[in-house]
Amino acid sequence: MTHARIQQQGTIHCFPAGLRDEAGKLVNAEVSAVLYDGSRLLLASDKPIPGEGRSAIFALPLNADGPDDSRLEYLTTERLRQAVKYEDLALTTDGRHVLATTGFDRIDAVTNDLNDYNHLLIWPLGRPDEVQVVDPDPRDGVEGSLELRRKLNGAIGHPYYKIEGLAAVPGERGDGLLLFGVREQGNAHDDFEYVSRLVGAHYQINDQGNIEFIDAVREHYQFDPDQHDGVRFACGLSSLEYDPYHARLYLLTSFETEEAGEERIGGYLWVVELDDFREGRAPEMVTTPDGAPLEFEHKAEGLAVLDRERLFVAYDNDRNMELGSVDERDERHACEAPYTILGLV
């Protein structure tokens, strides 16, 4: 069994307080992805962060006191600013490239208006100005990972889906196996079910520093968190993270529902050893040191491995402003994103 306890909690100021969009609406921090590169946290929002010199992806140092948002830097390369609805970040298995995926949850069959929601991006670690689009449509030169979308369509098998997980793990071919985590699938954005499916393909990094898939995108894993006795609400997958220190895969699930007219948000963390993953065995729920389910009080959307003993969890509570145990204050400011650092025990 894997146990964890909360070591530290707090909030990150993602942009100036009171920031408003072009329509005059207050911008809300909705961090959906996080990655740790050994010294800095890289975070992404599934909503745009407007303003010159800003973007939905930003970095900040992590020190002994936690994330240092006084030194926050936005990644402003145009291609990174263009993509919309970031959902997860990952490192390639060699740790030399960063990957970022959007949700792939909408497309226009007639125009290119929604292509920005369909991006898988790659850049060398520490060099975001060299970002490239992965698997674009080679026929028309239009931005977006449209060839990858066609491959996802075939593997997932539903007209509608949402990608919320991304992880590269050691594989049997090439440079590794790239996994996409499916959170929603169904007929349409208002007619779907929550799932925890992993589809993907083996890949290699070519001479241009981009990804090439070397076999078909197919389903590699699935499980039903709702079958676990400790799960109180229907969950969907919300993040993936490979742990190179222990050769295992973390799966983050979250829920957002209503009970007796009251909003309920939260999540659970799961772990599966790579050998068990390859055999399709169910993951184990990460628990508190006394064996109780580790249920997050916020909607857990991003996960990063910090070192052998610590994990970083980022929350996207949408318009829910409650802070709970994260802070003595009752409510967060719209510019703040709550986080938790877990210690493995």
Side-chain angles (χ1 to χ4, degrees):
M1 297 291 291
T2 302
H3 307 296
R5 60 162 55 98
I6 295 173
Q7 285 189 347
Q8 184 180 352
Q9 299 194 97
T11 59
I12 297 171
H13 287 76
C14 302
F15 44 81
L19 181 66
R20 295 183 179 273
D21 61 19
E22 293 180 354
K25 294 183 179 180
L26 196 64
V27 179
N28 185 46
E30 301 187 26
V31 170
S32 55
V34 61
L35 177 149
Y36 183 60
D37 69 4
S39 61
R40 298 200 306 173
L41 291 168
L42 187 65
L43 299 106
S45 169
D46 67 5
K47 296 292 189 298
I49 298 177
E52 189 66 29
R54 299 193 191 98
S55 78
I57 297 189
F58 50 93
L60 66 165
L62 179 68
N63 55 40
D65 297 323
D68 183 0
D69 54 22
S70 70
R71 298 166 61 192
L72 184 148
E73 298 179 7
Y74 299 99
L75 278 56
T76 56
T77 301
E78 184 55 35
R79 198 165 268 158
L80 292 174
R81 288 169 55 91
Q82 178 182 345
V84 178
K85 200 169 180 59
Y86 286 105
E87 293 292 358
D88 209 357
L89 299 163
L91 288 173
T92 51
T93 51
D94 62 7
R96 298 174 61 184
H97 291 81
V98 177
L99 299 167
T101 187
T102 61
F104 285 84
D105 62 338
R106 63 198 77 180
I107 192 70
D108 190 317
V110 177
T111 74
N112 296 314
D113 292 348
L114 299 179
N115 287 5
D116 292 346
Y117 292 85
N118 299 268
H119 273 78
L120 176 64
L121 300 172
I122 183 171
W123 64 93
L125 183 64
R127 305 203 302 272
D129 290 348
E130 300 176 27
V131 61
Q132 300 180 68
V133 177
V134 176
D135 219 12
D137 187 331
R139 290 168 292 187
D140 57 17
V142 175
E143 285 288 351
S145 299
L146 303 184
E147 189 64 26
L148 172 58
R149 181 180 178 88
R150 280 186 276 273
K151 296 172 182 176
L152 291 171
N153 288 347
I156 296 171
H158 291 268
Y160 166 81
Y161 53 86
K162 181 187 284 188
I163 300 298
E164 289 211 10
L166 183 69
V169 303
E172 299 170 349
R173 298 181 60 190
D175 295 326
L177 174 65
L178 186 60
L179 297 169
F180 299 87
V182 185
R183 174 179 177 83
E184 300 173 4
Q185 65 181 30
N187 295 317
H189 69 91
D190 55 359
D191 180 17
F192 68 86
E193 63 176 348
Y194 288 115
V195 294
S196 296
R197 294 180 67 192
L198 275 60
V199 302
H202 290 88
Y203 72 91
Q204 62 188 13
I205 304 294
N206 63 25
D207 292 341
Q208 290 73 46
N210 207 331
I211 275 184
E212 292 180 356
F213 294 105
I214 57 177
D215 58 8
V217 177
R218 64 173 180 84
E219 181 173 284
H220 284 266
Y221 192 76
Q222 66 173 324
F223 81 106
D224 186 357
D226 304 340
Q227 296 300 309
H228 194 285
D229 291 339
V231 173
R232 298 195 299 146
F233 302 101
C235 290
L237 190 78
S238 55
S239 188
L240 294 175
E241 178 76 355
Y242 175 58
D243 178 357
Y245 299 100
H246 303 97
R248 59 193 181 188
L249 185 66
Y250 287 106
L251 305 98
L252 193 61
T253 60
S254 65
F255 58 84
E256 46 187 331
T257 187
E258 283 192 8
E259 183 182 59
E262 183 177 351
E263 183 183 39
R264 299 287 187 179
I265 58 174
Y268 304 93
L269 181 60
W270 312 79
V271 63
V272 59
E273 305 296 323
L274 280 189
D275 288 343
D276 291 333
F277 161 78
R278 295 184 181 109
E279 294 297 323
R281 300 188 183 100
E284 294 183 347
M285 176 188 281
V286 177
T287 64
T288 64
D290 61 5
L294 177 66
E295 182 178 300
F296 300 110
E297 61 178 324
H298 299 286
K299 189 155 73 78
E301 291 286 304
L303 181 69
V305 171
L306 300 181
D307 51 39
R308 292 186 64 87
E309 300 172 343
R310 294 183 303 156
L311 306 174
F312 187 97
V313 182
Y315 303 109
D316 174 9
N317 288 351
D318 297 323
R319 294 290 169 175
N320 185 309
M321 310 304 284
E322 298 176 5
L323 280 171
S325 64
V326 166
D327 197 284
E328 294 179 352
R329 293 173 292 143
D330 293 332
E331 293 187 346
R332 67 179 174 89
H333 299 296
C335 64
E336 293 179 304
Y339 73 86
T340 295
I341 295 178
L342 294 174
L344 302 174
V345 294

Coordinates of all heavy atoms in Angstrom, one line a residue, residues 124-164:
P124 N 12.1 21.6 -26.1 CA 13.2 21.2 -25.3 C 13.1 21.8 -23.9 O 12.7 23.0 -23.8 CB 14.4 21.7 -26.0 CG 14.0 21.9 -27.4 CD 12.6 22.3 -27.3
L125 N 13.4 21.0 -22.9 CA 13.3 21.5 -21.5 C 14.1 22.8 -21.4 O 15.3 22.9 -21.7 CB 13.9 20.4 -20.6 CG 13.8 20.7 -19.1 CD1 12.3 20.8 -18.6 CD2 14.5 19.7 -18.3
G126 N 13.4 23.8 -20.9 CA 14.1 25.1 -20.7 C 14.1 26.0 -21.9 O 14.6 27.1 -21.8
R127 N 13.6 25.5 -23.1 CA 13.7 26.3 -24.3 C 12.3 26.3 -24.9 O 12.1 25.8 -26.1 CB 14.7 25.7 -25.3 CG 16.1 25.6 -24.6 CD 17.2 25.6 -25.7 NE 17.1 24.6 -26.6 CZ 17.6 23.3 -26.5 NH1 18.2 23.0 -25.4 NH2 17.5 22.4 -27.5
P128 N 11.3 27.0 -24.3 CA 9.9 27.0 -24.8 C 9.8 27.7 -26.2 O 8.8 27.5 -26.9 CB 9.1 27.7 -23.7 CG 10.1 28.5 -23.0 CD 11.4 27.7 -23.0
D129 N 10.8 28.6 -26.5 CA 10.7 29.3 -27.8 C 10.8 28.4 -29.0 O 10.5 28.7 -30.1 CB 11.8 30.4 -27.8 CG 11.6 31.5 -26.9 OD1 10.4 31.6 -26.4 OD2 12.5 32.3 -26.7
E130 N 11.3 27.1 -28.7 CA 11.5 26.2 -29.8 C 10.3 25.2 -29.9 O 10.4 24.1 -30.4 CB 12.8 25.4 -29.6 CG 14.0 26.3 -29.6 CD 15.3 25.5 -29.3 OE1 15.4 24.3 -29.6 OE2 16.2 26.2 -28.7
V131 N 9.1 25.6 -29.4 CA 8.0 24.7 -29.3 C 7.5 24.3 -30.7 O 7.6 25.1 -31.7 CB 6.8 25.4 -28.6 CG1 6.4 26.7 -29.2 CG2 5.6 24.5 -28.4
Q132 N 7.1 23.1 -30.9 CA 6.5 22.5 -32.1 C 5.2 21.8 -31.9 O 4.9 21.3 -30.8 CB 7.5 21.5 -32.7 CG 8.9 22.0 -33.1 CD 9.7 20.9 -33.6 OE1 9.5 20.5 -34.8 NE2 10.7 20.5 -32.9
V133 N 4.4 21.8 -32.9 CA 3.1 21.1 -32.9 C 3.4 19.6 -33.3 O 4.1 19.3 -34.2 CB 2.1 21.7 -33.9 CG1 0.8 20.8 -33.9 CG2 1.8 23.1 -33.5
V134 N 2.9 18.7 -32.5 CA 3.0 17.3 -32.7 C 1.9 16.8 -33.7 O 0.7 17.1 -33.4 CB 3.0 16.5 -31.4 CG1 3.1 15.0 -31.7 CG2 4.2 16.9 -30.6
D135 N 2.3 16.0 -34.7 CA 1.3 15.3 -35.5 C 0.3 16.2 -36.1 O -0.9 15.9 -36.1 CB 0.6 14.2 -34.7 CG 0.5 12.9 -35.6 OD1 1.1 12.8 -36.6 OD2 -0.3 12.0 -35.1
P136 N 0.7 17.3 -36.8 CA -0.3 18.1 -37.5 C -0.8 17.5 -38.7 O -0.2 16.5 -39.2 CB 0.5 19.4 -37.8 CG 1.9 18.9 -38.0 CD 2.1 17.8 -37.0
D137 N -1.9 18.0 -39.3 CA -2.4 17.5 -40.6 C -1.4 17.9 -41.6 O -1.1 19.1 -41.9 CB -3.7 18.2 -40.9 CG -4.4 17.6 -42.1 OD1 -3.7 17.2 -43.0 OD2 -5.6 17.6 -42.1
P138 N -0.8 17.0 -42.3 CA 0.3 17.4 -43.3 C -0.2 17.9 -44.6 O 0.6 18.4 -45.4 CB 1.0 16.0 -43.5 CG -0.1 15.0 -43.3 CD -1.0 15.5 -42.2
R139 N -1.5 18.0 -44.8 CA -2.1 18.3 -46.1 C -2.4 19.8 -46.3 O -2.3 20.3 -47.4 CB -3.4 17.5 -46.3 CG -3.1 16.0 -46.5 CD -4.4 15.2 -46.5 NE -4.9 15.2 -45.1 CZ -6.0 14.4 -44.8 NH1 -6.5 13.7 -45.6 NH2 -6.4 14.5 -43.5
D140 N -2.7 20.5 -45.2 CA -3.1 21.9 -45.4 C -2.3 22.9 -44.6 O -2.5 24.1 -44.8 CB -4.6 22.1 -45.1 CG -5.0 21.6 -43.7 OD1 -4.1 21.5 -42.9 OD2 -6.2 21.4 -43.4
G141 N -1.4 22.4 -43.7 CA -0.6 23.4 -43.0 C -1.3 24.2 -41.9 O -0.7 25.1 -41.4
V142 N -2.5 23.8 -41.6 CA -3.3 24.5 -40.6 C -2.8 24.1 -39.2 O -2.6 22.9 -39.0 CB -4.8 24.3 -40.7 CG1 -5.6 24.9 -39.6 CG2 -5.3 24.8 -42.1
E143 N -2.6 25.0 -38.3 CA -2.1 24.7 -36.9 C -3.1 23.8 -36.2 O -4.3 23.8 -36.4 CB -2.0 26.0 -36.1 CG -0.8 26.8 -36.5 CD 0.5 26.1 -36.0 OE1 0.5 25.2 -35.3 OE2 1.6 26.6 -36.4
G144 N -2.5 22.9 -35.4 CA -3.3 22.0 -34.6 C -2.8 20.5 -34.9 O -2.4 20.2 -36.0
S145 N -3.0 19.7 -33.9 CA -2.6 18.3 -34.0 C -3.7 17.5 -34.6 O -4.3 16.6 -34.0 CB -2.2 17.7 -32.6 OG -1.1 18.4 -32.1
L146 N -4.1 17.8 -35.8 CA -5.3 17.3 -36.4 C -5.1 15.8 -36.9 O -6.1 15.0 -36.8 CB -5.8 18.1 -37.6 CG -6.0 19.6 -37.2 CD1 -6.5 20.4 -38.4 CD2 -7.0 19.7 -36.1
E147 N -3.9 15.4 -37.2 CA -3.7 14.0 -37.6 C -3.8 13.2 -36.3 O -4.3 12.1 -36.3 CB -2.3 13.9 -38.2 CG -2.1 12.5 -38.8 CD -3.0 12.1 -39.9 OE1 -3.5 13.0 -40.6 OE2 -3.2 10.9 -40.1
L148 N -3.2 13.7 -35.2 CA -3.4 13.0 -33.9 C -4.8 12.9 -33.5 O -5.2 11.9 -33.0 CB -2.6 13.8 -32.8 CG -2.8 13.3 -31.4 CD1 -2.4 11.8 -31.3 CD2 -1.9 14.1 -30.4
R149 N -5.6 13.9 -33.7 CA -7.0 13.8 -33.4 C -7.7 12.7 -34.1 O -8.5 11.9 -33.5 CB -7.8 15.2 -33.7 CG -9.2 15.1 -33.3 CD -10.0 16.3 -33.6 NE -11.4 16.1 -33.2 CZ -11.9 16.3 -32.0 NH1 -11.1 16.8 -31.0 NH2 -13.2 16.0 -31.7
R150 N -7.4 12.5 -35.4 CA -8.0 11.4 -36.1 C -7.6 10.0 -35.5 O -8.4 9.1 -35.4 CB -7.5 11.4 -37.6 CG -8.4 12.4 -38.4 CD -8.0 12.4 -39.9 NE -6.8 13.2 -40.2 CZ -6.9 14.5 -40.5 NH1 -8.0 15.1 -40.5 NH2 -5.8 15.1 -40.7
K151 N -6.3 9.9 -35.0 CA -5.9 8.7 -34.4 C -6.6 8.5 -33.0 O -7.0 7.4 -32.7 CB -4.4 8.8 -34.2 CG -3.6 8.8 -35.5 CD -2.1 9.1 -35.2 CE -1.3 9.1 -36.5 NZ 0.1 9.5 -36.3
L152 N -6.8 9.6 -32.3 CA -7.6 9.5 -31.0 C -9.0 9.1 -31.3 O -9.6 8.3 -30.5 CB -7.5 10.8 -30.3 CG -6.2 11.2 -29.7 CD1 -6.2 12.7 -29.2 CD2 -5.7 10.3 -28.6
N153 N -9.6 9.6 -32.3 CA -11.0 9.2 -32.7 C -11.1 7.7 -32.8 O -12.0 7.1 -32.3 CB -11.4 9.9 -34.0 CG -11.6 11.4 -33.9 OD1 -11.7 11.9 -32.8 ND2 -11.7 12.1 -35.0
G154 N -10.1 7.1 -33.5 CA -10.2 5.7 -33.8 C -10.0 4.9 -32.5 O -10.6 3.8 -32.3
A155 N -9.1 5.3 -31.6 CA -8.8 4.6 -30.4 C -9.9 4.7 -29.4 O -10.2 3.7 -28.7 CB -7.5 5.1 -29.9
I156 N -10.5 5.9 -29.3 CA -11.5 6.1 -28.2 C -12.9 5.6 -28.7 O -13.6 5.1 -27.9 CB -11.5 7.6 -27.8 CG1 -10.2 8.0 -27.2 CG2 -12.6 7.9 -26.9 CD1 -10.0 9.5 -27.0
G157 N -13.2 5.9 -29.9 CA -14.4 5.3 -30.5 C -15.7 6.0 -30.1 O -16.8 5.3 -30.2
H158 N -15.7 7.2 -29.7 CA -16.9 8.0 -29.4 C -16.8 9.3 -30.1 O -15.8 9.9 -30.3 CB -17.0 8.2 -27.9 CG -17.3 7.0 -27.1 ND1 -18.6 6.5 -26.8 CD2 -16.5 6.0 -26.6 CE1 -18.6 5.4 -26.2 NE2 -17.3 5.1 -26.0
P159 N -18.0 9.9 -30.5 CA -18.0 11.2 -31.2 C -17.4 12.3 -30.3 O -16.8 13.3 -30.8 CB -19.5 11.4 -31.5 CG -20.1 10.1 -31.4 CD -19.3 9.3 -30.4
Y160 N -17.7 12.2 -29.0 CA -17.2 13.2 -28.1 C -16.3 12.6 -27.0 O -16.5 11.5 -26.5 CB -18.3 13.9 -27.4 CG -17.9 14.7 -26.2 CD1 -17.4 16.0 -26.3 CD2 -17.9 14.2 -24.9 CE1 -17.0 16.8 -25.3 CE2 -17.5 15.0 -23.8 CZ -17.0 16.2 -24.0 OH -16.6 17.0 -22.9
Y161 N -15.2 13.3 -26.7 CA -14.3 12.9 -25.6 C -13.5 14.1 -25.1 O -13.4 15.1 -25.8 CB -13.4 11.8 -26.0 CG -12.5 12.1 -27.3 CD1 -11.3 12.7 -27.2 CD2 -13.0 11.6 -28.5 CE1 -10.6 13.0 -28.3 CE2 -12.2 11.9 -29.7 CZ -11.0 12.6 -29.6 OH -10.3 12.9 -30.7
K162 N -12.9 13.9 -23.9 CA -12.1 15.0 -23.4 C -10.8 14.3 -22.8 O -10.9 13.4 -22.1 CB -12.8 15.7 -22.3 CG -11.9 16.9 -21.7 CD -12.5 17.5 -20.4 CE -13.6 18.5 -20.8 NZ -14.1 19.2 -19.7
I163 N -9.7 14.8 -23.3 CA -8.4 14.4 -22.8 C -7.9 15.2 -21.6 O -8.0 16.5 -21.7 CB -7.3 14.5 -23.9 CG1 -7.7 13.6 -25.1 CG2 -5.9 14.1 -23.4 CD1 -7.8 12.2 -24.9
E164 N -7.6 14.6 -20.5 CA -7.1 15.3 -19.3 C -5.9 14.8 -18.7 O -5.4 15.3 -17.7 CB -8.3 15.4 -18.3 CG -9.4 16.3 -18.6 CD -10.1 17.0 -17.5 OE1 -9.5 16.9 -16.3 OE2 -11.1 17.6 -17.7

